[in-house]
Amino acid sequence: MNVRPEIWVGIDVGKAAHHACAVDETGKTVFSQKIGNDQAAIEALIARAGRAAQRVRWAIDLNSPLALLLITVLLAADQAVTYVPGRVVNTMSHGFRGEAKTDAKDAKVIAETARMRRDLGQVAMPGELVVGLTQLTGYRTDLMSDWVAGINRLRGLLGSIFPALEAAFDYSNRTPLILVAGMCTPAEIRAVGIDGVATYLSDSGAWKPAIGKTAVAAVDAAQRQGLALPGEADTAMLVKRIAAKLLDLDREIKDTDKLITARFRAHPWARIVESLPGMGPGLGAEFLVGTGGDLANFASAGRLASYAGLVPVPRDSGRVSGNLHRPKRYNRRLRRVFYMAALSSLRHENGPSRRFYDRKRGERQIHVQALLALARRLVDVLWALLRDGREFSIDRPALGVVMA
């Protein structure tokens, strides 16, 4: 067997198994095989690649927790691993013959992309804290998806039997959910009256300042509907079940938020990140997850802003120039972090963020454009804070210039 000087091994990451394809410097396939997602199989693949070439470069298309075992084994073996984003793989696959999409073809595309391109980022060993925050924030995202779906389902069902009650309250609050978890038909509410509704809410732990207003509004809605609509009994049963589940889900979300806050504040950057206007523990945790808790891959604030999709790219052609658009390849999660931080920072009426935003609106930028400009400026500020290891203060001359 001829030992090649260098090969590139592309791995199409899967849940139960991966597919690995190795190519040499000419693009010829050295080997292509399916491997299980377990330590022994990955170590055997590393050994095979080591026998085939003097130098092995690895490339993967996924760097999420699903690929954590693969990444850990590769880095523990002192292997250099490159990350090839899925969008890049999809684009590069059009340069290969045929329309078929298989794991083997994807693995080869990943290997060939790593062989031809030199602008791809390297995968580093994720920190324990960042991996934990990745799992917690992902779990919270799933909980919020369930929450939104549950609220929409509840409103749809309640509106079919008691439209006035459905329109009377914001069911993202606990007190209205407690109400409909116990009584949600006009007859039930009329039967107990204002005092009965108020007593039920008080005994069920509703927010005390809202109990009286909620009871009055509920009884008023019940007085305006004297008919029982078809399917009321079964629909009311479903509404009560969904409301009870949403109350439990609300507690789970709040408990998860407390966990995220505690984990985030254990990170050395926590105080600095939270000092930035608009940044709280939730967005701070998302920032750590988006950057991996390490700015080594970003040579400047501009690189970080580009990674977050806050730097427009030109799309000029012929006589058309200065045609700037949002990039297609960027980290959606990180863009959301800075956008939401910019939005939250506007609550401070006389703060530097509000003054910057007002100035951009004065330059005839629409709301979204001004927010994105502010988000881009927050990247510069946060970069300066983390570089200096100091918390935000508008009195600092350097930051005063940045926010101007």
Side-chain angles (χ1 to χ4, degrees), residues 279-296:
M279 276 284 198
L283 291 179
E286 294 277 359
F287 172 74
L288 292 181
V289 171
T291 59
D294 185 6
L295 297 181

Side-chain angles (χ1 to χ4, degrees), residues 8 36 58 64 73 93 116 147-148 155 168 192 194 201 221 246 268 328 346 352 363 387 389 393:
W8 289 259
W58 301 82
S64 70
V73 175
S93 64
M116 292 185 288
W147 171 262
V148 172
R155 298 194 77 112
V192 298
I194 294 177
L201 291 174
L246 286 171
K328 291 183 177 180
L346 295 182
E363 295 172 2
R387 180 193 60 198
S393 172

Side-chain angles (χ1 to χ4, degrees), residues 108-135:
K108 182 166 185 178
V109 171
I110 294 168
E112 287 280 50
T113 303
R115 181 178 70 88
M116 292 185 288
R117 294 183 57 164
R118 295 294 181 267
D119 60 337
L120 299 171
Q122 296 295 304
V123 177
M125 182 70 76
E128 179 74 20
L129 186 57
V130 173
V131 173
L133 284 173
T134 301
Q135 301 287 22

Side-chain angles (χ1 to χ4, degrees), residues 169 173-176 197-198 201 206-217:
F169 302 114
N173 296 322
R174 285 188 65 86
T175 299
V197 172
L201 291 174
W207 189 49
K208 292 188 182 300
I211 288 177
K213 184 177 179 180
T214 301
V216 171

Side-chain angles (χ1 to χ4, degrees), residues 305-370:
S306 178
Y307 182 63
L310 296 171
V311 178
V313 295
R315 294 184 186 173
D316 299 343
S317 179
R319 291 179 293 179
V320 177
S321 61
N323 192 17
L324 301 177
H325 290 264
R326 184 173 68 186
K328 291 183 177 180
R329 289 186 289 131
Y330 60 91
N331 188 299
R332 267 72 178 167
R333 173 177 252 175
L334 209 54
R335 180 184 174 92
R336 177 185 173 276
V337 166
F338 286 106
Y339 185 88
M340 294 303 296
L343 188 62
S344 297
S345 68
L346 295 182
R347 291 180 297 180
H348 303 285
E349 292 294 335
N350 297 319
S353 294
R354 169 61 73 172
R355 293 196 294 271
F356 181 89
Y357 170 84
D358 290 341
R359 179 158 61 84
K360 290 299 177 182
R361 292 304 304 271
E363 295 172 2
R364 304 185 69 178
Q365 290 189 3
I366 64 175
H367 171 68
V368 173
Q369 291 174 328

Side-chain angles (χ1 to χ4, degrees), residues 162 165 179 183-194 197 215 218-219 222:
F162 200 170
L165 189 65
L179 171 68
M183 52 189 78
C184 60
T185 66
E188 289 176 328
I189 294 175
R190 283 196 304 269
V192 298
I194 294 177
V197 172
V219 173

Side-chain angles (χ1 to χ4, degrees), residues 75-93:
L75 295 181
D78 295 326
Q79 303 295 306
V81 185
T82 299
Y83 172 54
V84 183
R87 183 182 291 273
V88 175
V89 177
N90 182 57
T91 301
M92 292 290 291
S93 64

